[in-house]
Amino acid sequence: MTTEQTTQGPACPLSAVSPSGTTPYAHYARMDELLALQHPLSSARTEPGFIIMSQVKELLFKLLHTEFTTARDQLTDDLLDDALWTLRRAARVQQVLLVSWETFSVLSPVEFAEFRDVLGSASGFQSASYRRLEFLLGNKNPAMVAPHRNTAGYDAVASQLREPGLYDAALALLARRGLLASNDSTDRDLSRPYQGGAEVEEAWRSVYQDPVRHRDLHLLAEALMDTADQFARWRYTHLVTVQRMLGAKAGTGGTEGVAWLARISEHRFFPELWSVRSTL
């Protein structure tokens, strides 16, 4: 090693070299562009916070989609230990997502009304990132693709509808372990809503009844339950937050508001993991 190399240290990676007018940190994470994406349409002092937290949620949706896709692929490749570690990371992200509702819940009805009209037909219901996440976790409904037609996210949403989900990968693993016949909920039209079955529940019951023998599958069952539990809490918190802000008013974008949220809050991902508890 030459003296020049020793004194200068290792060369900086190309990504860390920032152009004039910014820092390596801002350049690497595109912070200048990110922080320039808030454009309130009213003079309400609470609207910037509403926009920022809406954007934060979208970023968290994207991160969760990345993590759950990774976990699905790891299960498909029989890398169960790796999938469990990925689901552990995802659980922390879900906790942040759940807490994000706190910033909305402190908006009084009057404060929200100050800028609600400028939302027009905009609604979180139109989030392509969230719809892809719902599909990935198994809540398939072809009708939910329609709101994204003629948008940049349409192809991604439509493609997600036809892809195997995280639970599909888990059930396929149960089949490979001999706990589930390959035609019991593992061979189906992936674009249709998931229909649970007694065979799947029995497979999970076998896992829970002998957690020592099926240690890794038992850990997977509980990791999936953590995922489903956190989403159930997220949906319920969404419902309560909207009730606090809007009461029984219709939602933005023509949605039903509280009535629709109340119905969807009863949905549970991975249904047999819930129902099997009544049999143990």
Side-chain angles (χ1 to χ4, degrees), residues 167-247:
Y167 198 46
D168 294 309
L171 298 185
L173 177 60
L174 290 181
R176 292 195 298 275
R177 294 288 185 91
L179 295 173
L180 186 65
S182 61
N183 62 347
D184 291 337
S185 297
T186 58
D187 295 332
R188 62 184 185 85
D189 182 353
L190 296 174
S191 68
R192 307 304 302 175
Y194 173 77
Q195 298 293 327
E199 297 85 358
V200 176
E201 182 181 288
E202 181 59 29
W204 287 122
R205 193 162 79 92
S206 298
V207 170
Y208 274 100
Q209 286 184 321
D210 196 346
V212 175
R213 179 184 177 189
H214 303 295
R215 182 178 180 277
D216 56 352
L217 292 176
H218 181 253
L219 291 175
L220 174 62
E222 286 298 284
L224 291 174
M225 275 300 295
D226 286 342
T227 298
D229 179 279
Q230 289 274 22
F231 264 99
R233 294 173 189 270
W234 191 84
R235 285 168 165 162
Y236 181 73
T237 305
H238 186 182
L239 167 63
V240 174
T241 300
V242 171
Q243 284 178 318
R244 178 169 175 167
M245 292 169 59
L246 291 178

Side-chain angles (χ1 to χ4, degrees), residues 112 116-117 119-126 147 246 250-257:
F112 185 50
R116 190 189 182 202
D117 286 347
L119 297 178
S121 61
S123 168
F125 184 77
Q126 300 157 354
L246 291 178
T252 56
T255 60
E256 296 179 77

